[in-house]
Amino acid sequence: MNPSSPLKIGILGTGHIGKTLVRKLAAAAHQVKVANSRGPETIEAETLATGAQAVRTEEAVNDIDVLILSIPLVRIPDVAPLIRALPSGVVVADTSNYYPHRDLKIDAIENGQPESLWVSEQIGRPVIKAWNAIGSGSFAEKGMPQGAADRIAIPVAGDDEASRQLIMRLVNDTGFDAFDAGSLADSWRQQPGSPVYCTDLHYDEIPAALAEADISRLPKRRDLAVAVFQERAGDSVTNPNADFGVQVSRIIFR
């Protein structure tokens, strides 16, 4: 695989992060196929406006270099058989985060297993954790050209260095600095509730934020932030915007 050539990318999921990945990676000249659980006819034209192709799930995992999972954790087991059948050279990236109110209770994660290690076990192959630690509003709106002084950084964790570097290249293509966050076992440091999570940090701020993470405090901080967002959401007066989300995350997580 030529490290500078366009890649064939399959994306599963058209939620807020997924649809932005589709638009940004296709705009960066990669060949992007995208699928969701409801069928290609339900994928909005805006999501495909930069050249991506809407396909069925089975087609999204066929003839690709990279597969990006941007679906809730609770749905990972549903697609696991397709992913297990992928050629070994396909790099799998995981953008997901565990939220018990959405994903139901996953005992292994509740007991401290890093979320993307659980994903890796479900699909039977290594994953690279990326794009999970940025809010959807910031991801859609705050990307900047490489070298920009105020560019936001995104941590990327995984055990295979070549795969990690490849996904870091794609993070750069989406408009953000990629920070090498090390092994998947340490990826809990970028999970919900951690100082680096959705706080829109710059590259030189990431090391301290990762080091300050306390695994015992993450669930409580995560759930507190959820309660704040849920209390503010739901009407046109108090519904929080992206900047509100960053402000709350900085107060609670750092």
Side-chain angles (χ1 to χ4, degrees):
M1 190 184 303
N2 189 322
S4 62
S5 63
L7 299 172
K8 298 177 182 178
I9 302 173
I11 298 176
L12 299 186
T14 52
H16 294 303
I17 295 295
K19 65 184 180 183
T20 300
L21 279 167
V22 172
R23 292 197 300 266
K24 286 176 176 282
L25 291 174
H30 298 292
Q31 300 177 40
V32 178
K33 299 185 290 186
V34 57
N36 62 18
S37 60
R38 293 168 290 129
E41 66 280 357
T42 69
I43 297 177
E44 298 175 350
E46 180 185 3
T47 301
L48 307 173
T50 57
Q53 178 185 8
V55 299
R56 299 194 178 279
T57 302
E58 295 80 3
E59 298 171 276
V61 301
N62 183 47
D63 188 26
I64 54 175
D65 302 310
V66 175
L67 177 66
I68 302 176
L69 304 177
S70 194
I71 60 179
L73 261 75
V74 71
R75 289 194 49 233
I76 294 291
D78 297 339
V79 298
L82 287 174
I83 301 172
R84 289 194 194 101
L86 287 173
S88 60
V90 175
V91 177
V92 180
D94 172 36
T95 78
S96 57
N97 294 298
Y98 175 56
Y99 282 97
H101 70 280
R102 178 196 64 192
D103 296 312
L104 307 178
K105 184 178 179 182
I106 299 175
D107 288 336
I109 296 176
E110 293 283 344
N111 292 330
Q113 184 180 33
E115 294 167 11
S116 286
L117 276 180
W118 181 86
V119 171
S120 180
E121 286 185 358
Q122 301 307 303
I123 65 174
R125 59 188 298 139
V127 301
I128 305 297
K129 190 176 190 72
W131 295 291
N132 78 295
I134 186 165
S136 58
S138 293
F139 188 42
E141 301 168 8
K142 296 182 181 180
M144 301 180 73
Q146 187 172 7
D150 294 328
R151 207 180 197 212
I152 295 167
I154 294 177
V156 179
D159 295 333
D160 181 77
E161 183 175 355
S163 298
R164 194 168 66 246
Q165 292 296 325
L166 183 66
I167 298 303
M168 289 174 67
R169 170 196 163 191
L170 294 182
V171 168
N172 180 68
D173 287 347
T174 61
F176 299 84
D177 285 337
F179 185 91
D180 190 335
S183 71
L184 204 62
D186 279 337
S187 64
W188 62 267
R189 295 181 182 275
Q190 64 195 71
Q191 289 178 184
S194 69
V196 79
Y197 185 77
C198 294
T199 48
D200 285 6
L201 303 182
H202 299 150
Y203 188 91
D204 60 0
E205 297 175 298
I206 298 285
L210 291 173
E212 291 165 4
D214 181 345
I215 196 169
S216 68
R217 302 180 72 179
L218 300 192
K220 185 174 183 179
R221 292 180 176 189
R222 175 201 64 205
D223 294 345
L224 178 58
V226 168
V228 171
F229 292 130
Q230 289 180 334
E231 192 273 336
R232 285 291 302 271
D235 64 72
S236 60
V237 177
T238 62
N239 196 40
N241 59 23
D243 288 333
F244 174 82
V246 174
Q247 292 166 6
V248 169
S249 297
R250 287 181 174 179
I251 291 169
I252 295 176
F253 300 157
R254 298 200 71 191

